[in-house]
Amino acid sequence: MIELTTRQTDRIIEMAWEDRTTFEAIEFQFNLNEQEVIELMRREMKPSSFRMWRKRVQGRKTKHEKLRSFEKGRFKCTRQKQITHNSISKR
């Protein structure tokens, strides 16, 4: 396993907890495959937190690029186009 800084480790853990961040994205950015991410999570987290995370991501389609049913990108509210520069435009 490659040597990671504390900041990189924290970011990987954060990305692993996010529902829409895929394991492929973590591999692209940090060169860690899914199994290595699982090992890192097991090593860095409390056992109860690791079990909770594994239960959460196991079988989750959004964590794998090929299983996703939605397009890449973020969710956008239909009203979002009315919001510009942190101020809501008049209706």
Side-chain angles (χ1 to χ4, degrees):
M1 191 170 204
I2 61 174
E3 191 68 32
L4 298 168
T5 65
T6 303
R7 189 175 196 167
Q8 290 172 321
T9 302
D10 289 346
R11 182 62 184 136
I12 292 168
I13 291 171
E14 183 181 355
M15 290 174 76
W17 272 101
E18 294 170 349
D19 288 341
R20 289 185 176 228
T21 303
T22 63
F23 287 115
E24 289 83 3
I26 296 171
E27 184 171 10
F28 178 77
Q29 190 168 348
F30 295 99
N31 203 27
L32 294 176
N33 63 31
E34 180 180 356
Q35 189 58 43
E36 291 170 325
V37 172
I38 292 169
E39 290 170 12
L40 179 126
M41 297 292 276
R42 181 178 279 126
R43 186 179 67 242
E44 297 294 328
M45 298 172 68
K46 295 187 302 185
S48 61
S49 297
F50 173 75
R51 284 191 301 272
M52 185 182 347
W53 174 76
R54 282 299 289 157
K55 185 176 180 181
R56 179 180 172 86
V57 299
Q58 204 149 21
R60 186 173 289 265
K61 291 181 180 182
T62 57
K63 293 303 281 183
H64 297 279
E65 196 81 27
K66 293 179 181 177
L67 300 177
R68 290 179 140 188
S69 61
F70 57 89
E71 305 230 355
K72 288 183 181 180
R74 302 184 68 146
F75 171 76
K76 182 178 176 184
C77 177
T78 56
R79 291 181 32 211
Q80 188 170 348
K81 63 184 171 198
Q82 299 173 355
I83 301 172
T84 56
H85 300 96
N86 285 339
S87 62
I88 299 175
S89 60
K90 294 181 181 178
R91 296 179 191 204

